[in-house]
Amino acid sequence: MRNIVTDFFGRPDDIAWLLANIDQEQDLFQSCRHRVVLAWYLRQRDTAAALSILDGLDKEDFLAVLEATPALRGLWYLARIDCLRLLAQVPEALRLLPYAQAAFQEAGDLVGLGDCAFAAAELCLTQGDAQGASHLLERAVGLYQEGGDAKRSLIAAGWLAYQQSYLDAKAADGRWAEALAANNWLGDPAVEAYARTFHGGIAFQYGDFPASIRHWQEAYDHAQAAGAVWLAIILATVTGSAYANLFDLPTALEWKEKAYALAKPTGWPEALGTTLSSMAETTTSLGDHARAGSLFEEALPYLDRLTNTRRHFIAYSAYGRLCLETGVPERAVEWFEKAGVIARNLGHPDTERLHSSAMTSALLKLNRVGEAEAMIMGTLNQPGFRGNPYYEVEALRSLAAVRRAQDGGDPSRAIAILEQAVAKGTSMDGLTIRADIYTELARDYEAAGDYRQALHYERCARASWQRNFDQQNGSRIQALQVRFDTARAKSDAEHHRMLAGAEAARAVELDRANQTLERLGVIGQEITARLDSESVFTTLSRHLHDLMPTNTLFVGLKDEANEVIDIRYRMEDGKRLPSRQVPLASDNLSARCVRDSEEILVAWGERTNPNSVPGTRHMRTVLFRPLTLGDRVLGVVSVQSDKPDAYGPRELLIFRTICAYGAIAMANAEAYQQLDRAVAETREALQRLVQQEKMAALGQLVAGVAHEVNTPLGVTLSAVSQLNDSVRHLRDLIKRGSLTRALLTETLDNGQDLAALAQRNVVRAADMIRTFKGVAVDHGSDERRIFDLDEYLTEIMSLVRARVTGNGNRLELDVVSVQMDTYPGALAQVITNLVTNVADHAYAPDRPGRILVQARRIDSMVVEIAVQDHGAGIPPDILPKVFDPFFTTRRASGSMGLGLHVAFNQVTQRLNGNIVIDSVPGRGTVAILRIPREVSGHIPTRILPTPAGAEMDITPAR
């Protein structure tokens, strides 16, 4: 069940849902509630429909629900009251208002009471009671605030501020400008519409007509979006008035016609009367008196049903001026008298002053000079009248006309009054005296015989006319600039107007469009997640078939090298077709689409498609779109249907969106393939380098063994050579017969010693070769086996000793006896790389030092091995990089930078351990690795800190 929040005007999605489900609700209370809320929302959008819904609730079961639910009953009354106000049935609306107030009072609904105050204020405005309307709107603001409805409070405040701007613009601006600033609009179109209405009104009162137009046009768009049709009509009308004040009369009439177009279907008398009379006013200024009179005659029956509003005053005054201009002053007086009654009731100072000037002119036309004098003198003697120089100058001009009429041929009094008017006007900065005042003064001086002054004021009249002309041109330029500034948003405004005008009829279609857009977002995520072209093709095909008529679909990729389009994916009626190629230079539609990078839509109908592929069906509608990413064209997608005109705006939007996602996916797939190839090549190269590093480590062992075996073999060779010499010497002695017992004994003893020496060294060489063979086998096979850590590390050190001690370094071993079940080859490579790294980097050739290899148990499962030196240390900026592949500080010496990287990988991946290196520059470095005794057992997740004071801490060498 949908929870409909009772908004002031109603959100479009709520209205669409109510319209679609109003007859589906089974629960009586919910059905009644939904009908009342819908009528409230439609009161301005469709007043007749709202009244029809309200009349439909006049049934026993619905009335019982309304009687039991005072808040709902109050809204039922209030919706009807607003409809009656709009239809100018004010007495009936006023009769029902207390019932609505009583219902909301019973419910304790402060927001509902605020709505009653707002409705009462609108009724006051309809009757011309501006002061009463302001009082009621103040009450509405307070009730909304107390009831916690911030949006309604701002709407009421905006309308109150706008009404008060006509009474005292400066005071209204000071009170409301900050409260109705843009940061307080809450993202609500109705709030923004009413707030901008106020800001535009202030700008209008200050004479900043371009600013008022900008505010009111924005407010107009938001009012339509919110469903505030009454406000939209008012805004279109006042926007036209602002353009008129900028002397852009065609645009002024355009906006007033727009207001009438909104008012016409509503049937609201006041809206129809005010818009027609406003159009007539502008038509009068354009000089089309016949049309203006027709419009006034059409407007007056509507206006006569509701009098005493400012709009009525403006209409009656404008019609009176038209009568004056068309030479019917007696009718002008009739309309000015009606306008005067309204002006006095309104209490707006500007309306009374305008009425006085117009009425004086009409009375003088009828030669009713005494009445004209009384009218203008009454105006001049009004309290506070002298504070406005513009109205004072106009009043003095009217008085001069009266004196001229009274004095016959003596213009002296008229001259004195006009001189007073000129002095008043020239004393005020920014006030331009109208040219016709100077012209009248020049004529009066000419009549008095003072031609010098007459010429002077004629020149003043010309200068004033020129200033006025320039001012009008400047105003027209401002109007043009405003129109230019708002033209960029014209399409959006038109879109909003179309939505507002057809919102109810298109509710179901809008819901469908929203679902489509949401689905397109999901589809986009699915398509762009594909990283191979075949998956992209399949996904595109599936979704295009689901969302739009698609009998034929194909996707082609641009092959720049061969100058063809490779159409790899082709489907017709659900069957996969063989791939084909299209030359890029051909006249084929696919080639044109890719070459020109533009969408092509062709409705063949029953005509033959010259580009049809043999063996395929005739398609009546074909659509092609390039797959583009930036300025790059990747290929083309085409959908085709056997139905005529199959692709409208909705299908084009879907197709363009999916093609955009497809282009991204194809680019991703291409990039992924390139990346995959690059990664494979890099991985292969790294494997080769790692294998070379392993062979290099084995080569270092071979070099060590060769160096170590060389000594015992040399000793053995020397002993055997001496033994051979002794035997040959003994044989010579026997031949000569000079062998003595003593000499024989000495020779045999020497031979025995030499044989023993040779035997010991041969055994030593054999042991070393056997050790090397075992380690070499471990390096080559990398098989897991059980071994003693002490013995194995001793063997490794014996093989690398020659490599690291050649320049005087001392290699020391401190290892406990631990039985290991792991990969000895990996461990041998790690230790060899660590020790040789120390030999290469820790000590200078002329400053040998100590290299200490230690091993100890951490617990029953973990062994810790440390390789420590007291050499140069590693700078802090280099230390984090030591395990990175290809990082070395000895590249000039032929180092590849893989030694520690291989060691790190062997420890963490093969031996299931961890390794860290710590260093203090100038004091030395220690590499600590921790591995499980059994490789399938404990896997440490972190390196535990070395206990304080342990022997493997880095300390200065002694």
Side-chain angles (χ1 to χ4, degrees):
M1 183 180 296
R2 187 183 181 96
N3 181 28
I4 302 294
V5 179
T6 309
D7 191 62
F8 196 69
F9 290 106
R11 295 190 296 264
D13 58 336
D14 285 343
I15 296 171
W17 187 89
L18 287 168
L19 287 168
N21 296 277
I22 196 71
D23 295 323
Q24 309 301 320
E25 181 60 60
Q26 300 299 315
D27 181 79
L28 180 62
F29 170 78
Q30 290 295 337
S31 177
C32 182
R33 178 177 181 272
H34 288 168
R35 281 171 164 75
V36 173
V37 171
L38 182 59
W40 172 253
Y41 289 164
L42 293 179
R43 70 193 190 279
Q44 291 194 21
R45 290 177 169 90
D46 189 340
T47 307
L51 284 172
S52 177
I53 293 171
L54 293 171
D55 291 340
L57 293 171
D58 192 12
K59 298 178 181 178
E60 184 177 350
D61 49 356
F62 285 134
L63 290 175
V65 171
L66 293 172
E67 185 62 31
T69 317
L72 193 61
R73 185 170 72 253
L75 188 62
W76 180 66
Y77 277 121
L78 204 56
R80 185 178 293 277
I81 288 166
D82 213 31
C83 290
L84 292 172
R85 172 187 69 83
L86 293 168
L87 294 172
Q89 299 177 26
V90 176
E92 179 64 11
L94 289 171
R95 186 187 71 81
L96 294 178
L97 186 59
Y99 294 103
Q101 292 169 332
F104 285 122
Q105 191 72 45
E106 180 184 349
D109 189 338
L110 295 175
V111 173
L113 289 170
D115 288 343
C116 288
F118 198 105
E122 294 282 41
L123 287 168
C124 283
L125 290 173
T126 300
Q127 299 172 91
D129 184 3
Q131 294 289 349
S134 293
H135 173 73
L136 286 165
L137 286 172
E138 293 273 14
R139 174 170 169 73
V141 171
L143 286 167
Y144 288 147
Q145 289 176 345
E146 192 176 350
D149 195 322
K151 291 181 180 179
R152 274 178 163 85
S153 176
L154 288 168
I155 289 172
W159 196 226
L160 170 62
Y162 178 67
Q163 301 303 324
Q164 290 180 342
S165 69
Y166 284 104
L167 297 172
D168 190 335
K170 186 175 182 180
D173 191 20
R175 178 183 177 188
W176 294 108
E178 185 175 350
L180 294 172
N183 58 324
N184 295 325
W185 293 346
L186 305 176
D188 185 83
V191 172
E192 183 168 352
Y194 276 90
R196 283 190 179 276
T197 299
F198 157 69
H199 290 297
I202 292 295
F204 188 89
Q205 293 297 322
Y206 287 164
D208 188 356
F209 301 118
S212 68
I213 289 171
R214 292 188 184 94
H215 279 298
W216 283 340
Q217 285 183 341
E218 286 283 344
Y220 172 80
D221 291 338
H222 288 290
Q224 284 205 299
V229 181
W230 176 255
L231 180 63
I233 293 170
I234 293 173
L235 287 164
T237 304
V238 295
T239 300
S241 298
Y243 272 113
N245 282 336
L246 290 175
F247 303 98
D248 187 353
L249 296 178
T251 305
L253 184 59
E254 178 185 330
W255 272 95
K256 292 181 179 184
E257 288 173 341
K258 193 177 296 186
Y260 176 67
L262 273 180
K264 189 174 181 179
T266 66
W268 301 339
E270 185 174 4
L272 289 166
T274 55
T275 54
L276 285 167
S277 62
S278 185
M279 288 165 58
E281 185 181 0
T282 304
T283 306
T284 300
S285 300
L286 287 168
D288 189 351
H289 293 160
R291 186 189 178 199
S294 175
L295 289 170
F296 274 125
E297 291 296 333
E298 188 179 354
L300 290 174
Y302 294 116
L303 292 175
D304 287 343
R305 297 175 62 178
L306 290 167
T307 58
N308 296 330
T309 68
R310 184 180 179 89
R311 185 63 251 175
H312 297 124
F313 167 80
I314 295 172
Y316 292 159
S317 298
Y319 197 18
R321 287 194 299 274
L322 176 62
C323 291
L324 274 181
E325 290 183 21
T326 54
V328 192
E330 44 297 325
R331 289 207 66 192
V333 169
E334 293 177 11
W335 291 111
F336 287 148
E337 285 176 344
K338 290 184 178 182
V341 174
I342 297 173
R344 287 189 291 276
N345 289 336
L346 285 174
H348 294 174
D350 60 332
T351 59
E352 295 186 49
R353 293 159 188 168
L354 289 170
H355 165 259
S356 172
S357 177
M359 189 65 169
T360 300
S361 298
L363 291 171
L364 287 175
K365 288 280 186 181
L366 293 172
N367 203 28
R368 293 159 60 177
V369 179
E371 294 177 62
E373 180 183 20
M375 172 66 67
I376 197 64
M377 292 304 295
T379 301
L380 285 168
N381 292 327
Q382 284 181 358
F385 179 78
R386 304 277 178 183
N388 191 308
Y390 172 80
Y391 291 117
E392 191 172 349
V393 168
E394 287 299 310
L396 289 171
R397 180 195 177 198
S398 298
L399 180 59
V402 170
R403 297 300 181 225
R404 194 179 297 114
Q406 290 175 333
D407 297 343
D410 183 9
S412 57
R413 285 205 297 171
I415 289 173
I417 293 170
L418 288 177
E419 287 283 9
Q420 184 182 351
V422 169
K424 174 64 68 174
T426 55
S427 68
M428 301 299 297
D429 292 336
L431 181 63
T432 301
I433 297 176
R434 288 166 48 185
D436 48 5
I437 293 178
Y438 286 122
T439 300
E440 290 177 8
L441 193 53
R443 288 174 182 171
D444 287 338
Y445 272 114
E446 185 179 0
D450 190 343
Y451 298 107
R452 184 187 186 100
Q453 283 293 92
L455 180 60
H456 168 71
Y457 280 112
E458 188 63 37
R459 288 171 176 169
C460 289
R462 180 171 292 277
S464 177
W465 180 89
Q466 185 63 50
R467 285 194 299 272
N468 186 57
F469 179 79
D470 293 342
Q471 182 181 3
Q472 289 187 17
N473 282 340
S475 296
R476 290 189 183 98
I477 291 171
Q478 284 184 304
L480 184 63
Q481 182 64 46
V482 170
R483 292 171 63 188
F484 175 76
D485 290 341
T486 55
R488 289 172 296 180
K490 186 177 179 180
S491 60
D492 288 341
E494 184 65 24
H495 178 64
H496 288 309
R497 285 192 291 274
M498 290 174 62
L499 285 178
E503 188 174 1
R506 293 176 55 196
V508 175
E509 183 62 29
L510 285 174
D511 187 56
R512 181 186 174 195
N514 289 336
Q515 292 177 4
T516 301
L517 289 174
E518 183 178 351
R519 184 175 178 186
L520 285 174
V522 175
I523 290 171
Q525 293 178 355
E526 181 181 354
I527 293 175
T528 53
R530 306 299 179 187
L531 293 177
D532 64 279
S533 56
E534 185 65 26
S535 296
V536 174
F537 296 154
T538 305
T539 308
L540 284 173
S541 174
R542 175 161 50 85
H543 290 300
L544 285 171
H545 277 88
D546 288 345
L547 291 171
M548 56 194 298
T550 307
N551 298 107
T552 297
L553 165 71
F554 69 76
V555 182
L557 299 181
K558 181 180 179 183
D559 185 349
E560 294 184 357
N562 297 313
E563 296 185 346
V564 297
I565 300 174
D566 185 8
I567 302 178
R568 303 180 188 175
Y569 190 90
R570 297 173 62 214
M571 292 284 290
E572 183 174 281
D573 297 328
K575 296 180 181 179
R576 185 77 177 258
L577 301 179
S579 61
R580 59 187 294 261
Q581 292 186 337
V582 175
L584 266 174
S586 69
D587 291 332
N588 189 283
L589 291 177
S590 300
R592 281 178 48 198
C593 177
V594 172
R595 281 200 313 271
D596 300 338
S597 186
E598 65 178 16
E599 184 178 276
I600 299 175
L601 174 62
V602 180
W604 291 115
E606 301 305 322
R607 292 177 296 149
T608 302
N609 179 359
N611 296 316
S612 62
V613 179
T616 60
R617 292 199 301 118
H618 172 66
M619 295 297 159
R620 292 177 172 83
T621 312
V622 296
L623 177 60
F624 297 80
R625 184 166 182 83
L627 288 171
T628 59
L629 195 65
D631 296 331
R632 182 183 172 203
V633 180
L634 305 177
V636 61
V637 179
S638 175
V639 289
Q640 304 177 14
S641 174
D642 56 8
K643 296 181 175 58
D645 301 319
Y647 304 130
R650 175 180 174 273
E651 288 74 22
L652 289 175
L653 174 63
I654 292 171
F655 185 60
R656 290 165 185 165
T657 304
I658 291 182
C659 284
Y661 288 133
I664 296 171
M666 291 305 302
N668 289 346
E670 181 182 349
Y672 180 77
Q673 291 172 0
Q674 294 175 354
L675 178 62
D676 193 41
R677 287 194 297 269
V679 169
E681 292 171 0
T682 303
R683 186 179 293 114
E684 183 179 350
L686 184 59
Q687 291 284 352
R688 289 196 300 269
L689 290 171
V690 169
Q691 189 63 31
Q692 291 173 13
E693 184 67 19
K694 289 183 179 181
M695 293 301 101
L698 187 59
Q700 291 175 354
L701 294 180
V702 171
V705 169
H707 183 276
E708 290 295 323
V709 170
N710 187 58
T711 299
L713 289 181
V715 173
T716 301
L717 179 60
S718 178
V720 171
S721 298
Q722 291 184 32
L723 182 59
N724 185 49
D725 290 341
S726 296
V727 171
R728 189 169 52 252
H729 180 63
L730 183 61
R731 187 185 298 275
D732 289 340
L733 290 174
I734 292 172
K735 284 182 180 180
R736 292 198 304 268
S738 57
L739 179 64
T740 64
R741 179 181 291 276
L743 188 57
L744 178 59
T745 301
E746 179 183 355
T747 301
L748 290 175
D749 289 341
N750 287 337
Q752 187 176 6
D753 291 340
L754 290 170
L757 178 61
Q759 183 182 17
R760 287 197 303 273
N761 280 278
V762 168
V763 169
R764 179 183 172 194
D767 289 342
M768 293 181 70
I769 293 171
R770 185 173 60 253
T771 299
F772 168 72
K773 181 180 178 182
V775 174
V777 168
D778 288 335
H779 268 273
S781 66
D782 200 21
E783 292 182 357
R784 174 179 171 181
R785 67 181 177 86
I786 298 173
F787 60 91
D788 185 82
L789 181 63
D790 181 15
E791 294 177 359
Y792 195 68
L793 290 182
T794 301
E795 292 175 356
I796 294 172
M797 292 304 101
S798 68
L799 296 176
V800 300
R801 186 177 302 277
R803 167 73 173 79
V804 301
T805 61
N807 60 351
N809 293 325
R810 303 190 309 279
L811 181 59
E812 300 177 8
L813 192 63
D814 179 12
V815 182
V816 296
S817 179
V818 182
Q819 189 178 65
M820 306 290 290
D821 183 3
T822 184
Y823 297 95
L827 180 60
Q829 187 172 17
V830 171
I831 300 301
T832 301
N833 286 4
L834 290 174
V835 171
T836 55
N837 190 71
V838 172
D840 290 339
H841 296 277
Y843 299 110
D846 58 342
R847 298 188 63 185
R850 185 177 77 156
I851 303 173
L852 176 61
V853 179
Q854 295 176 292
R856 63 172 181 170
R857 289 175 180 266
I858 295 298
D859 54 36
S860 61
M861 298 299 296
V862 180
V863 171
E864 180 179 85
I865 303 173
V867 178
Q868 180 181 4
D869 67 75
H870 299 292
I874 303 173
D877 59 326
I878 292 178
L879 189 59
K881 307 175 186 177
V882 294
F883 292 128
D884 292 350
F886 308 110
F887 177 78
T888 178
T889 58
R890 291 170 54 87
R891 196 171 303 280
S893 301
S895 174
M896 289 190 299
L898 286 173
L900 291 182
H901 175 67
V902 170
F904 177 83
N905 286 341
Q906 292 285 36
V907 171
T908 57
Q909 297 175 18
R910 196 64 172 162
L911 300 175
N912 285 356
N914 271 328
I915 180 171
V916 295
I917 291 181
D918 195 11
S919 182
V920 177
R923 294 181 57 188
T925 303
V926 59
I928 303 174
L929 59 127
R930 290 185 177 180
I931 58 175
R933 289 180 52 248
E934 295 184 12
V935 74
S936 59
H938 175 70
I939 302 176
T941 58
R942 62 188 179 93
I943 295 294
L944 300 175
T946 305
E951 185 176 348
M952 62 182 63
D953 283 351
I954 301 173
T955 55
R958 292 178 174 83

